[in-house]
Amino acid sequence: MAGVTDETPGLSPEELGAYFAVMEVSSLLQYAVDAHLRAEGDLSYVQFQILARLVDAPDGRLRMTDLADGVVYSRSGLTYQAGLLDKRGLITRSSSPDDERVIVVTVTDSGRGLVARVLPGHVADVRRLLFDPMATGDLAALSEVLGRVRAHMRATPPRSAKPRAKRRGAG
Amino acid sequence: MAGVTDETPGLSPEELGAYFAVMEVSSLLQYAVDAHLRAEGDLSYVQFQILARLVDAPDGRLRMTDLADGVVYSRSGLTYQAGLLDKRGLITRSSSPDDERVIVVTVTDSGRGLVARVLPGHVADVRRLLFDPMATGDLAALSEVLGRVRAHMRATPPRSAKPRAKRRGAG
DNA sequence: TATTGTTATACTCTATAACTATA
DNA sequence: TATAGTTATAGAGTATAACAATA
């Protein structure tokens, strides 16, 4: 892409390289991690993220909306995934006493067990691919840079952020 | 995930944070960029990558295999995407005189035009999301760290790296 | 036989819109 | 009316295996 046009705006060669590096590293990392999760636990990365969030939540419970917010996907997409996890006995769903509209998702022991089973390999993958090649100070540097970027991203809705049934002001 | 088990091996809280940051940043970045490409040029990120690679290649030509290697996907997946791009007149495909098995993919002027048209916005997205929030020195630091990681990844086949065509041993 | 690429096919995933029900 | 979630459905994308053709 370096020579696309003579007036390619904006990105210096270094920036372009950094951008490509981010995308390639994350792509390969996700590919490897996803493959491992599927092989070890028959879980997609999304499913693993859902379970991991639940395992980390107080009492292992979260509302559907909380999960949807975290995993970015649409509500119907989450319903689909939750249906699969439910069918496998990895989670349960029950309506909340406080608000009958709300569905509370809870990880089952089986779900916890599965997470515990795939986690070591998952972590090992991440370590091998992401952290092993790093030099001293790299971790701190990466954390700081990406921390800043992430904070900025979170504060800046993508543009056409469609909070589905939300968004009232702010056109 | 911090408290998954008492003996979660491997990753320190800082490493876990960095890992999550990498995945979240890349995910949001790709989501935003993909949305822009679709809106501006009716191109998926994968399709854009194919075109961008071609635009950057000598004479705007690459073999199918070269493209498949770069985009990671399966050969049939590339054939599918190439079919879509071909149908839209953004690329052409012709067999190589050197090796009749080989299909050479070439970007058309139309394809170049489309890339040129969506590139400014694409670049602007990347700048806004990835580089604007960075502090002085962040770019260099990120490049160095991820450069190392990427080099390591490239040198280390994921695992059962598909030998491209077949696999006979290893079940 | 090995390699390049296509095709047929089945499947996973995601998004949209319509719908139910609760608040 | 607004929110939480589901369902119906349709479409994009991907992987696998069988296939044809060339080396």
Side-chain angles (χ1 to χ4, degrees):
Chain A
M1 220 141 105
V4 166
T5 74
D6 290 338
E7 46 185 350
T8 301
L11 298 188
S12 68
E14 279 188 349
E15 288 173 326
L16 212 50
Y19 164 48
F20 286 160
V22 167
M23 298 311 269
E24 183 176 344
V25 164
S26 62
S27 172
L28 291 174
L29 184 55
Q30 179 158 1
Y31 187 84
V33 155
D34 190 83
H36 164 264
L37 291 172
R38 285 178 195 276
E40 294 296 307
D42 195 25
L43 286 175
S44 68
Y45 191 56
V46 171
Q47 289 164 357
F48 173 74
Q49 286 184 91
I50 292 172
L51 289 180
R53 271 175 184 277
L54 287 170
V55 165
D56 237 22
D59 295 327
R61 289 140 47 96
L62 285 173
R63 303 179 310 152
M64 289 292 283
T65 296
D66 297 332
L67 283 171
D69 286 351
V71 190
V72 176
Y73 295 137
S74 60
R75 286 155 182 274
S76 66
L78 178 59
T79 296
Y80 171 75
Q81 293 296 343
L84 295 179
L85 296 175
D86 195 337
K87 221 178 290 178
R88 289 174 61 182
L90 303 172
I91 65 171
T92 59
R93 287 176 287 180
S94 55
S95 47
S96 166
D98 302 332
D99 186 335
E100 287 284 333
R101 294 173 305 181
V102 168
I103 296 290
V104 175
V105 181
T106 308
V107 212
T108 63
D109 287 345
S110 175
R112 287 183 190 273
L114 182 54
V115 170
R117 211 178 78 222
V118 299
L119 196 56
H122 177 78
V123 160
D125 273 0
V126 174
R127 167 167 299 294
R128 177 172 54 81
L129 290 168
L130 186 61
F131 297 116
D132 278 356
M134 287 191 187
T136 308
D138 278 4
L139 172 59
L142 185 67
S143 292
E144 197 171 320
V145 175
L146 291 186
R148 256 196 287 282
V149 173
R150 176 165 57 171
H152 198 268
M153 281 178 167
R154 283 178 170 169
T156 310
R159 188 184 319 202
S160 65
K162 34 176 78 171
R164 200 48 253 149
K166 266 188 192 169
R167 107 163 314 194
R168 16 192 159 171
Chain B
M1 224 147 99
V4 166
T5 73
D6 290 337
E7 47 186 351
T8 301
L11 298 188
S12 67
E14 278 187 349
E15 288 173 326
L16 211 51
Y19 164 49
F20 287 161
V22 167
M23 298 311 269
E24 184 175 344
V25 163
S26 63
S27 171
L28 291 174
L29 184 55
Q30 179 158 0
Y31 187 84
V33 155
D34 189 84
H36 165 264
L37 291 171
R38 286 178 195 277
E40 295 296 307
D42 196 24
L43 286 174
S44 68
Y45 192 55
V46 171
Q47 289 163 358
F48 173 74
Q49 285 184 91
I50 292 173
L51 290 180
R53 272 176 184 278
L54 288 170
V55 165
D56 237 21
D59 295 326
R61 289 140 44 98
L62 286 173
R63 303 179 310 153
M64 289 292 283
T65 294
D66 298 332
L67 283 172
D69 285 352
V71 191
V72 176
Y73 296 137
S74 61
R75 301 249 269 271
S76 66
L78 178 59
T79 296
Y80 171 75
Q81 293 296 344
L84 295 179
L85 296 175
D86 195 339
K87 221 178 289 179
R88 289 175 61 183
L90 303 173
I91 65 171
T92 59
R93 287 176 287 180
S94 55
S95 48
S96 165
D98 303 332
D99 186 335
E100 287 284 333
R101 294 173 304 181
V102 168
I103 296 290
V104 175
V105 181
T106 308
V107 212
T108 63
D109 287 345
S110 175
R112 288 184 188 274
L114 181 54
V115 170
R117 212 178 77 224
V118 299
L119 196 57
H122 176 79
V123 160
D125 273 1
V126 174
R127 168 168 298 295
R128 177 172 54 81
L129 289 167
L130 188 61
F131 297 117
D132 278 355
M134 286 191 187
T136 307
D138 278 4
L139 172 59
L142 184 67
S143 292
E144 197 172 319
V145 175
L146 291 187
R148 255 196 288 281
V149 173
R150 176 165 57 171
H152 198 268
M153 281 178 168
R154 283 177 169 168
T156 309
R159 175 207 66 207
S160 67
K162 302 239 170 140
R164 264 218 259 304
K166 273 194 160 178
R167 222 156 82 99
R168 17 206 192 141

